[in-house]
Amino acid sequence: MPWTREQLAERAARELRDGFYVNLGIGIPTLVANYIPAGMKVLLQSENGMLGMGPFPYEGDEDPDLINAGKQTITELPLSSYFSSADSFGMIRGGHIDLSVLGGMEVSERGDLANWMVPGKVVKGMGGAMDLVAGVPRVIVLMEHVARDGSPKFKASCELPLTGAGVVDMLITDLAVFSRPDRHAAFELVELAPGVSEADVRARSTAQFGSANG
Amino acid sequence: MATAPHAGNGKVFPSARAALAGIARDGITVMSGGFGLCGIPEHLIAALRDLGVNGLTVISNNAGIDELGLGQLLKTRQIRKMISSYVGENKEFERQYLAGELEIEFNPQGTLAERIRAGGAGIYGFYTRTGAGTQVANGKETRLVDGEPWVLETGLRADLAIIKAWKGDREGNLVYRKTARNFNPVMATAARVTVAEVEQLVEIGELDPDQIHTPGIFVQRIVQGLDYKKPIEQRTVRKRSAHALDA
């Protein structure tokens, strides 16, 4: 049985470590915040200029001057700090953020990521995604294993315009988890969703990958 | 004399429209602060709209939404070109872009911020990993350092920056509030003329010099805005009973 969106987020949260500074992308990656283990200190960075993001405000407490990168109202914590966009991306591009979790449209077997535009469709822009994948030392992508039409999204090479080349360290899909020790290595299949076989995963991928058990 | 070094109003202008007089002209390049609708110079945008200047190149992370923020200048077709990182929430933008009426240059958000910072700091350009191996690097010099590609990006400057701060004094020293800071301080440094609108205009000496985010040297004109709308794009809340972050 494939993992749900919440289970993807929960699986990604297992990659968090105490003391990490983390940037979570919009969509499923945002849900990772719900699964930070109790007692673990993780500071969430929001690229519009905040470190130490708190939860959504209580009704009536919304502050238009306090939003996250998804433009959602949020709150601050006692340890929070605010800074400019230039300082924020200095953190990101300077390698100070430990982990970036993003959504994906396509991931290649070399770790290329495409998640910002589809030719022929209206282009909305890349926002901070290209900076995150270029600057953050560890990048995890969460996505459905196949597109709505059933075509593979974990591919031999990306067909969509890239967000970054060779930047993905771990891929978590609704079917499986793939990991690699460094950005020159091949991906290995390290985990399967319950009831999903390696053969199922290979049949739904055009990417080549190793098998941790084989 | 501890206060009021000159008798006139100096940098202080009575209205947003007056603050733009003599600067806002057809065809100029304008930096406009804010992230989404947070920390946008809403009165100065409205004044640009009312002044009717056309053919603007606007450098701003986003393009507002229909009817709000820069969406107002798109609706009136005053913008010829946008330099932005993300413009997702604007139908009129989409229509003009698809009709070929509006030019758009997408920059990665960090590249955009750093290009503005560089422009303001007198730096011609910088090499960054961001965009290497993507179409963002097309046509740009790429340098290999230890086998890794770095892309040359150049500094950005503008004729006019319109920015929004929380508090400002008559000298142009500014303090921002929470995430409404975003692109405002860096844009303040990168224009020939920077006009700041503030929620609270205070006397010199009322701001703690240690807490000032933008020193007054970067601000040529300042105006107090009244009746801020401060629209919220995505109102997300939790119930009083909830204990976790509800998504």
Side-chain angles (χ1 to χ4, degrees):
Chain A
M1 201 169 51
W3 283 314
T4 63
R5 286 161 54 92
E6 287 72 21
Q7 286 169 319
L8 287 187
E10 195 171 3
R11 177 60 189 82
R14 279 167 41 203
E15 302 301 314
L16 300 171
R17 298 292 177 267
D18 196 43
F20 262 22
Y21 295 103
V22 178
N23 184 290
L24 301 176
I26 294 163
I28 306 177
T30 303
L31 302 178
V32 173
N34 295 340
Y35 299 100
I36 298 170
M40 184 183 283
K41 183 180 162 194
V42 170
L43 266 75
L44 300 178
Q45 198 249 19
S46 191
E47 65 265 29
N48 55 318
M50 182 184 196
L51 200 55
M53 243 197 296
F56 293 150
Y58 291 119
E59 277 179 271
D61 290 348
E62 308 92 305
D63 183 342
D65 288 339
L66 183 42
I67 63 168
N68 64 18
K71 286 122 187 166
Q72 298 172 312
T73 45
I74 50 165
T75 55
E76 66 184 22
L77 302 169
L79 47 57
S80 299
S81 57
Y82 300 109
F83 33 83
S84 73
S85 299
D87 284 342
S88 179
F89 282 92
M91 287 175 200
I92 290 167
R93 292 148 69 111
H96 306 281
I97 303 295
D98 297 291
L99 173 67
S100 165
V101 185
L102 298 99
M105 294 175 182
E106 291 179 345
V107 170
S108 82
E109 64 188 34
R110 288 181 302 277
D112 299 343
L113 170 66
N115 74 351
W116 78 280
M117 74 169 284
V118 178
K121 292 198 177 173
V122 175
V123 183
K124 296 185 169 187
M126 69 290 280
M130 286 191 180
D131 307 285
L132 284 159
V133 299
V136 177
R138 185 159 171 77
V139 173
I140 298 178
V141 172
L142 306 184
M143 69 178 190
E144 305 287 318
H145 201 88
V146 297
R148 285 208 186 101
D149 65 0
S151 60
K153 295 170 69 173
F154 186 28
K155 305 169 93 123
S157 61
C158 294
E159 282 156 41
L160 296 172
L162 296 187
T163 305
V167 294
V168 180
D169 297 291
M170 176 177 259
L171 170 63
I172 303 176
T173 76
D174 52 335
L175 300 184
V177 181
F178 306 86
S179 186
R180 56 180 183 164
D182 63 69
R183 290 183 178 175
H184 300 289
F187 282 100
E188 288 211 326
L189 172 67
V190 294
E191 236 174 282
L192 290 162
V196 174
S197 71
E198 185 175 327
D200 292 335
V201 174
R202 289 195 185 276
R204 289 169 174 78
S205 312
T206 56
Q208 298 290 315
F209 53 84
S211 170
N213 304 320
Chain B
M1 287 257 298
T3 56
H6 39 73
N9 277 329
K11 295 181 177 182
V12 179
F13 282 71
S15 70
R17 190 172 175 135
L20 294 176
I23 311 168
R25 291 186 310 276
D26 290 350
I28 62 169
T29 297
V30 182
M31 288 181 182
S32 184
F35 182 95
L37 298 176
C38 181
I40 58 171
E42 52 183 85
H43 295 94
L44 290 164
I45 291 171
L48 274 183
R49 179 199 60 203
D50 295 344
L51 285 165
V53 287
N54 286 306
L56 301 175
T57 294
V58 177
I59 302 169
S60 180
N61 188 55
N62 312 99
I65 61 177
D66 294 318
E67 315 289 335
L68 290 171
L70 293 172
Q72 299 171 81
L73 298 185
L74 287 164
K75 191 181 173 192
T76 50
R77 312 250 191 127
Q78 287 168 268
I79 300 177
R80 180 186 71 79
K81 178 179 179 181
M82 291 285 316
I83 300 177
S84 303
S85 89
Y86 187 83
V87 295
E89 291 85 12
N90 195 313
K91 287 270 174 290
E92 177 61 17
F93 183 102
E94 214 171 287
R95 193 200 63 71
Q96 288 182 24
Y97 175 67
L98 291 173
E101 299 166 6
L102 180 69
E103 195 182 332
I104 170 82
E105 177 188 318
F106 284 116
N107 282 203
Q109 196 173 145
T111 293
L112 182 63
E114 188 66 10
R115 289 185 71 192
I116 298 166
R117 199 193 72 79
I123 294 167
Y124 166 74
F126 55 91
Y127 290 93
T128 177
R129 281 179 297 223
T130 298
T134 78
Q135 66 181 46
V136 163
N138 289 351
K140 293 173 187 164
E141 182 193 332
T142 297
R143 176 172 292 197
L144 282 179
V145 181
D146 297 332
E148 298 291 328
W150 297 72
V151 181
L152 177 65
E153 296 281 1
T154 53
L156 275 175
R157 288 189 64 86
D159 300 300
L160 167 67
I162 52 175
I163 63 164
K164 154 82 188 354
W166 179 41
K167 292 182 180 177
D169 68 18
R170 293 174 166 274
E171 183 52 33
N173 295 308
L174 303 177
V175 175
Y176 306 93
R177 185 172 176 272
K178 303 184 188 287
T179 57
R181 189 182 316 187
N182 55 60
F183 279 86
N184 286 298
V186 69
M187 285 181 171
T189 69
R192 196 171 58 78
V193 178
T194 292
V195 182
E197 61 173 82
V198 295
E199 290 178 53
Q200 298 176 36
L201 182 62
V202 303
E203 293 303 322
I204 287 169
E206 285 188 47
L207 300 178
D208 179 351
D210 261 338
Q211 306 298 325
I212 286 166
H213 297 133
T214 291
I217 191 170
F218 296 121
V219 177
Q220 282 69 47
R221 300 183 176 192
I222 187 166
V223 59
Q224 173 153 16
L226 300 171
D227 304 322
Y228 274 93
K229 290 199 188 77
K230 292 207 203 177
I232 290 175
E233 239 170 290
Q234 308 279 341
R235 189 177 299 273
T236 45
V237 295
R238 58 185 158 148
K239 299 281 182 200
R240 294 266 167 198
S241 57
H243 54 274
L245 199 164
D246 302 312

